[in-house]
Structure formats: structure tokens, C-alpha cells
Amino acid sequence: QVQLVESGGGLVQAGGSLRLSCAASGSTFIRYNMGWFRQAPGKEREFVTAISWSGGSTYSVDSVKGRFTISRDNAKNTVYLQMNRLKPEDTAIYYCAATSRGRVYNWDGVDYWGQGTQVTVSS
């Protein structure tokens, strides 16, 4: 019912910025909380940040607070992740995700995943 396609990843030097986009299809997009997860090599996929369906509430893990900003444009069915002051430890595949369950800061599961986009931060 919802398809997610990420874009905007790439290679950036530490301290630089990237903006990821997640284009969603499906008429129910507006009512899904959206988020970003990431998976570094050899590590488990982890939650990074999320935004409520209205865009009025956001939550980020401590490691990215003040550096990453999630936003959404429901008219365009798109969610964004602005990443500033990137660090090498941010290197990972970033996955867009959608959920109909849980609060923005406490998901009960993921309903849809994107394919991922690679972010590499060099030191």
C-alpha cells in the first residue's frame, strides 16, 4: 500500500551535510508516522529519527540531536532528512520507514521499508 524510495545519499567529508529524500506512494501516507533508520557495516539496523503524520512532532536519538532534522511534505508525499555536521560514525545505509503503530518516539513496529541509500562520511 505504501512504497518508499530513498535518494540523496553519497560521500561527504566529516562536518559536511547531506539531505536525504524519501518519496512515498499511497493514499494513506499522510496518516503514517515516518522515520529513518540506519545500518552500519556489521551492525544491526537502528532507529534514528521520526516524525508524526502531521509533521508536528519529531524525535531523534541523542547521537543525532541538533545535527539531523526530519521533515515531511505531505502534499508531495515526501519525507526528508537534513543531516548536518556529519561524523564518520554516521556512515551507514539509511532506510526510510513508515509505521501506523506507536508514537513518534516509541514505535511498535515498521509497516514499510524503503530500499536504502548509502551515506558515507570520510574522516
Side-chain angles (χ1 to χ4, degrees), residues 24-71:
S25 62
S27 61
T28 61
F29 171 76
I30 191 171
R31 285 291 180 174
Y32 282 86
N33 290 345
M34 301 293 298
W36 292 91
F37 292 68
R38 66 186 180 186
Q39 187 168 18
K43 296 184 178 180
E44 298 293 324
R45 190 174 301 185
E46 63 178 352
F47 171 84
V48 178
T49 184
I51 187 168
S52 64
W53 67 267
S54 67
S57 298
T58 63
Y59 174 76
S60 298
V61 296
D62 289 343
S63 61
V64 307
K65 285 183 178 177
R67 299 189 300 117
F68 291 11
T69 302
I70 188 171
S71 62

Side-chain angles (χ1 to χ4, degrees), residues 3-22:
Q3 294 182 345
L4 308 174
V5 180
E6 303 97 330
S7 63
L11 174 64
V12 65
Q13 191 175 40
S17 299
L18 286 172
R19 189 180 77 159
L20 307 183
S21 297
C22 175

Side-chain angles (χ1 to χ4, degrees), residues 69-98:
T69 302
I70 188 171
S71 62
R72 68 190 296 166
D73 185 342
N74 288 338
K76 297 181 178 180
N77 286 351
T78 302
V79 62
Y80 305 95
L81 181 63
Q82 179 66 47
M83 304 183 293
N84 298 324
R85 302 191 303 280
L86 283 160
K87 303 175 181 179
E89 52 262 44
D90 296 320
T91 296
I93 300 175
Y94 283 72
Y95 297 90
C96 183

